[in-house]
Amino acid sequence: MSILELTALELGRKIKSGEVAVLEAVKASLDQIRKKEPAIHAYVTVDEQRAVKAAETVQKMIDNKMLTGPLAGVPVAVKDNLCTKDLLTTCSSNILYNFVPGYTAEAVSNLEKAGAVILGKTNMDEFAMGSTTETSAFGVTRNPWNPDHVPGGSSGGSCAAVASNECFYALGSDTGGSIRQPSSFCGVTGIKPTYGTVSRYGLIAYGSSLDQVGPIGKNVSDCAAVLEVISSYDKKDSTSVPRKDLDFTSALVNDVKGLRIGIPRDYLGEGLDDEVRQAVLDGAQTLKERGAVVEEFDLSLVEYAIPAYYVIASAEASSNLSRFDGVKYGLRAKEYEGLHQMYKKSRSEGFGPEVKRRIMLGAFVLSSGYYDAYYLKALRTKALIKQAFDKAFAEYDVILGPAAPTTAPRLGESLKDPLKMYLGDIYTISVNLAGLPAMTVPCGTDKRGLPIGLQLIGDCFQEKKIIRAGYTFEQTREGK
Amino acid sequence: MANMISEEIIDYVGILAKLELSQAEKEEAKKDMGRMLDYIDKLNELDTSSTEPMSHIFSMNNVFREDIVTNGDNRDDILKNAPEQKEGAFKVPKTVE
């Protein structure tokens, strides 16, 4: 078996025992990248020299027993909206085409301390705004299962890199489903943790009240191990939450006896592809056979999550993206008259159409005269959505449903109709509004061979319940 | 389309968002924004008169700390990314006559 087929934890064990050298693993990944990138384009930047150098340093530290963690020496890919010191970080936008950060995001820094070797930065929708990775300024990423289809988004590069063995695991970010939906489309596992669990320091902000960094891997165990490493209380992120229950791998228990699982009827209705529905219900049946109590229930308010999300996320984006003005970093227009026109021209040349669309919508809903009707209305809706989840979690430990209504669409189909593309986020978006943890686990393929993902949602701080359910599901299916 | 976005509104949004739009982009933006607002108006079906706006999921307290510098002097690193710089500062077009 090739090294590339190992999971991150399996590779970590072989590195620890001396059976595989770190450099050997890094070189295997770099060879695979060279082989696959012309067809997939999962990466914006690959830094071979940096990876080889890091491999040598990490190997020495493993040999000296200075690094003993389960991920030491394992190569990783990082989404290009996470700052990496001295390594190009573009957010897949022309406005940051040459930005080399002077510091590293806390989540990445936690990984590096645990001995991770960074291979490069992965492609994404520009500023994480999109569901297909097609809004990247540096070209589309293709789905490793079928190159005519999108990998999903916005963490499409990270998910495609994991699915094509171009890394052993990856980091992504999730504002409205950007880890869970591409994980579903690429047949990999991804976790969006409870808001505040992973520091947002160094994550280039899109919708600050919704953004969370999370792991993408080949299975639930890898994701739990990575989440355990990247989670930390960080004073540099004012919304970081101090938690004492970050030992997520302790939840890798193959048993769901008595676990109460609710399936929202609202997640199985109109718009859901029949094959996806069947695969998800089969997944629920698997957990039921293992002793979980599975019921359908009415979650309510599901159709209001998307409009509320686009108001809130766009409003926050219009504020967050005001920092890109051609002064401190990135693109500055070549010709302009005066400061004000320099701002306008730099931004107009630097941002793509989807980013402009959301910045304008955000500026509008925050403007005087419309603020109450749109922005405050959306925040009130958010409160109602949170209440609906609170009610559901009084009855259930885990909410189960699809991650997306369909499997991966064909390239070029989605951007023609942005509103329709937004509707594809219906099962993921409310989770961000309510700050909940959620995970996608592969649960089958459609008749065209495209992967389907099962979404497991937990109450705030209850990652362990979804990890246990996901792990049990995965182990049971592997055994079948 | 219920929400008709006027030329004035698009111009105003352009000023707020600091974006310079061509006439074609403006027409596109009017259409896009009108459609999005029609869709967002769905929220008006909900009675939220007795619901407070929720900005944070968890109760947030301001985090206080002593005003002590903890990061080193990384001025040169930061300026490396500046499109233009002069004498250790960001250089911008003249703004004061």
Side-chain angles (χ1 to χ4, degrees):
Chain A
M1 187 166 105
S2 151
I3 293 178
L4 294 172
E5 278 154 43
L6 298 171
T7 67
L9 287 175
E10 285 167 354
L11 176 65
R13 280 194 285 275
K14 284 186 192 282
I15 288 172
K16 205 170 184 175
S17 70
E19 201 183 318
V20 175
V22 178
L23 192 58
E24 200 182 337
V26 168
K27 287 203 161 157
S29 298
L30 292 173
D31 283 345
Q32 179 75 351
I33 288 170
R34 271 191 292 268
K35 209 170 103 195
K36 290 281 180 183
E37 274 304 272
I40 305 294
H41 188 239
Y43 287 88
V44 174
T45 305
V46 176
D47 192 336
E48 298 203 7
Q49 273 186 340
R50 181 189 173 112
V52 167
K53 208 172 141 211
E56 286 161 359
T57 313
V58 166
Q59 184 70 62
K60 273 187 205 134
M61 291 174 79
I62 292 169
D63 295 345
N64 299 338
K65 308 267 184 269
M66 286 162 72
L67 277 174
T68 56
L71 294 170
V74 181
V76 61
V78 175
K79 188 175 181 180
D80 212 20
N81 58 353
L82 285 154
C83 287
T84 40
K85 187 171 163 57
D86 300 329
L87 179 59
L88 188 67
T89 300
T90 69
C91 256
S92 290
S93 178
N94 274 325
I95 211 158
L96 284 177
Y97 76 105
N98 63 352
F99 177 57
V100 180
Y103 65 102
T104 297
E106 192 70 4
V108 179
S109 161
N110 288 343
L111 273 187
E112 285 184 316
K113 278 182 212 150
V117 177
I118 296 172
L119 296 164
K121 306 297 289 291
T122 56
N123 199 18
M124 52 187 278
D125 283 295
E126 185 179 2
F127 283 100
M129 297 178 192
S131 312
T132 63
T133 313
E134 291 171 297
T135 71
S136 167
F138 306 122
V140 301
T141 295
R142 288 166 185 274
N143 192 314
W145 294 70
N146 183 335
D148 295 332
H149 291 253
V150 301
S154 67
S155 309
S158 286
C159 293
V162 172
S164 57
N165 289 336
E166 292 181 69
C167 61
F168 288 86
Y169 66 101
L171 289 189
S173 68
D174 192 315
T175 306
S178 283
I179 287 176
R180 291 160 287 148
Q181 181 256 35
S183 291
S184 177
F185 288 0
C186 290
V188 297
T189 301
I191 301 179
K192 176 232 172 272
T194 306
Y195 186 76
T197 301
V198 179
S199 169
R200 292 183 295 107
Y201 176 76
L203 169 69
I204 299 174
Y206 160 24
S208 312
S209 76
L210 309 160
D211 299 338
Q212 264 294 284
V213 178
I216 295 156
K218 296 180 185 181
N219 64 18
V220 178
S221 304
D222 281 4
C223 285
V226 176
L227 184 58
E228 198 165 292
V229 170
I230 61 176
S231 301
S232 62
Y233 174 61
D234 183 8
K235 286 189 174 160
K236 300 187 293 303
D237 171 0
S238 63
T239 57
S240 182
V241 176
R243 292 180 63 173
K244 291 199 172 64
D245 56 345
L246 300 175
D247 55 330
F248 299 116
T249 50
S250 71
L252 296 168
V253 177
N254 186 2
D255 178 26
V256 286
K257 209 160 284 152
L259 196 77
R260 296 165 303 161
I261 298 177
I263 308 174
R265 273 185 211 101
D266 346 35
Y267 279 26
L268 300 173
E270 204 190 329
L272 179 63
D273 179 87
D274 287 338
E275 289 182 272
V276 174
R277 181 187 292 111
Q278 197 51 51
V280 167
L281 290 175
D282 288 350
Q285 183 60 27
T286 300
L287 289 168
K288 196 171 174 182
E289 283 163 16
R290 291 295 313 275
V293 180
V294 181
E295 288 174 7
E296 291 189 10
F297 75 106
D298 294 312
L299 179 62
S300 84
L301 299 175
V302 172
E303 69 269 38
Y304 300 101
I306 298 176
Y309 170 88
Y310 277 94
V311 171
I312 294 169
S314 300
E316 292 181 14
S318 78
S319 164
N320 279 324
L321 272 62
S322 62
R323 59 172 62 95
F324 302 103
D325 58 3
V327 173
K328 303 175 289 298
Y329 29 60
L331 183 111
R332 175 180 288 192
K334 289 213 165 54
E335 288 171 31
Y336 49 81
E337 278 170 42
L339 183 69
H340 194 71
Q341 210 201 16
M342 187 213 58
Y343 291 151
K344 279 192 148 188
K345 280 201 148 183
S346 301
R347 290 166 62 79
S348 303
E349 289 172 22
F351 292 136
E354 184 61 30
V355 174
K356 287 183 192 170
R357 187 177 288 136
R358 296 196 197 185
I359 291 177
M360 285 191 286
L361 179 65
F364 178 78
V365 299
L366 288 176
S367 64
S368 73
Y370 299 99
Y371 181 85
D372 286 13
Y374 289 106
Y375 185 63
L376 289 185
K377 181 77 187 180
L379 290 183
R380 290 181 214 275
T381 306
K382 172 180 164 168
L384 293 178
I385 289 169
K386 176 81 171 98
Q387 284 167 19
F389 275 113
D390 286 347
K391 216 173 111 201
F393 284 115
E395 299 291 325
Y396 304 106
D397 297 304
V398 171
I399 293 175
L400 179 151
T406 63
T407 52
R410 293 178 75 86
L411 280 159
E413 266 180 9
S414 307
L415 295 188
K416 282 181 243 160
D417 188 349
L419 188 55
K420 197 175 155 211
M421 177 174 83
Y422 301 162
L423 294 176
D425 299 333
I426 185 149
Y427 307 127
T428 49
I429 248 170
S430 50
V431 163
N432 299 76
L433 290 172
L436 307 170
M439 163 161 66
T440 293
V441 197
C443 69
T445 51
D446 69 7
K447 57 180 180 292
R448 295 174 299 177
L450 293 167
I452 300 169
L454 182 73
Q455 186 179 200
L456 299 164
I457 304 168
D459 199 0
C460 286
F461 309 117
Q462 300 298 324
E463 280 85 355
K464 286 181 183 172
K465 285 182 183 164
I466 58 173
I467 288 170
R468 192 173 126 203
Y471 181 73
T472 303
F473 173 73
E474 183 184 86
Q475 295 297 310
T476 311
R477 278 179 53 101
E478 274 175 21
K480 268 187 181 172
Chain B
M1 206 153 53
N3 285 282
M4 295 300 285
I5 305 296
S6 66
E7 191 78 12
E8 290 72 42
I9 287 186
I10 280 296
D11 286 340
Y12 181 53
V13 167
I15 291 168
L16 292 175
K18 292 249 186 303
L19 289 171
E20 193 172 76
L21 303 178
S22 68
Q23 199 52 44
E25 280 181 308
K26 272 192 206 172
E27 292 307 320
E28 193 66 22
K30 277 196 232 170
K31 222 171 58 195
D32 277 347
M33 198 179 288
R35 265 191 87 198
M36 261 324 265
L37 294 176
D38 283 353
Y39 177 57
I40 290 165
D41 283 341
K42 189 173 174 56
L43 296 179
N44 294 329
E45 294 167 14
L46 290 173
D47 177 9
T48 53
S49 53
S50 56
T51 311
E52 285 298 308
M54 182 188 228
S55 48
H56 285 288
I57 296 294
F58 312 123
S59 59
M60 285 284 161
N61 297 311
N62 200 0
V63 181
F64 291 97
R65 61 169 169 76
E66 292 304 312
D67 189 14
I68 298 166
V69 176
T70 53
N71 54 329
D73 175 9
N74 40 14
R75 187 180 75 179
D76 292 345
D77 264 355
I78 289 166
L79 281 172
K80 264 189 228 162
N81 279 300
E84 282 190 74
Q85 53 163 304
K86 191 181 176 186
E87 295 163 12
F90 297 112
K91 192 179 169 199
V92 294
K94 191 172 176 183
T95 52
V96 184
E97 293 301 325

